[in-house]
Amino acid sequence: ESLDRAAFDALRREYAAVAVDVGTGDGRFAYHLASERPDVLVVGIDALEEPMAETAAKAARKPARGGRPNLVLVRASAEAPPVELHGIACEVSVQLPWGRLLEGIVLADSAVLGGLAMLARPGARIVVTLNGEIWLDSTPARYASLPVPTPEYVAEVVAPGFAAAGIEVGAAR
């Protein structure tokens, strides 16, 4: 269901903080985070609505039946998050991205990194976890030309891209 700006702002005020999971896919990580941290409003963002449907239905139930009133799932691209989400997150996570989001991070695309930066409050923590196994023998054709994000590559290419978006990169491992 839709939330207008006033309803979303009212919901936000009920929680101590906001965490955003970008590229949430089926929303299971966001659901887990909402379960573990009931004092935090968790927003899962993905460009595709269909994979989130099952988790959205589960989250909409009564809390006694697995509902999570502190979970909101949003269909939006990483490059253009809704204005209502700009500057609200104290934590931004990207867990095992795929598609355009993965390419944007590995290639330090300014649109993708700028979208991540738009979500974050000053001092927010942004954590990106990549699936290094896709660069092994069975690399999907779409990603065959993507550079392997070694710590050295991250320092030389990705970190400067993040810095240009206003995001300081800590240790890559």
Side-chain angles (χ1 to χ4, degrees):
E1 65 185 68
S2 296
L3 274 179
D4 64 23
R5 176 83 187 234
F8 182 72
D9 287 344
L11 180 63
R12 266 184 54 209
R13 286 192 293 274
E14 294 179 28
Y15 297 94
V18 177
V20 178
D21 179 38
V22 181
T24 200
D26 62 13
R28 286 189 293 182
F29 176 77
Y31 182 89
H32 173 76
L33 188 58
S35 300
E36 293 292 314
R37 302 187 51 203
D39 62 324
V40 174
L41 177 62
V42 178
V43 179
I45 298 175
D46 201 275
L48 301 175
E49 186 174 338
E50 185 179 337
M52 296 185 287
E54 185 177 328
T55 300
K58 185 177 178 181
R61 297 178 190 156
K62 294 179 183 180
R65 297 192 54 215
R68 296 295 177 264
N70 64 322
L71 176 60
V72 176
L73 297 172
V74 178
R75 181 177 168 261
S77 71
E79 301 92 332
V83 68
E84 292 85 358
L85 303 180
H86 290 192
I88 68 166
C90 60
E91 300 172 21
V92 177
S93 61
V94 181
Q95 298 292 317
L96 308 175
W98 205 245
R100 173 81 175 103
L101 183 55
L102 173 63
E103 294 166 344
I105 290 168
V106 172
L107 299 174
D109 180 87
S110 62
V112 171
L113 302 183
L116 295 177
M118 280 185 231
L119 297 167
R121 293 172 38 172
R125 179 180 166 101
I126 299 175
V127 177
V128 177
T129 304
L130 300 177
N131 178 359
E133 292 180 9
I134 70 162
W135 282 275
L136 297 178
D137 295 335
S138 62
T139 303
R142 177 177 179 170
Y143 306 115
S145 65
L146 274 183
V148 177
T150 63
E152 296 78 22
Y153 175 82
V154 170
E156 292 172 14
V157 177
V158 178
F162 271 82
I167 303 168
E168 179 183 338
V169 174
R173 50 181 162 49

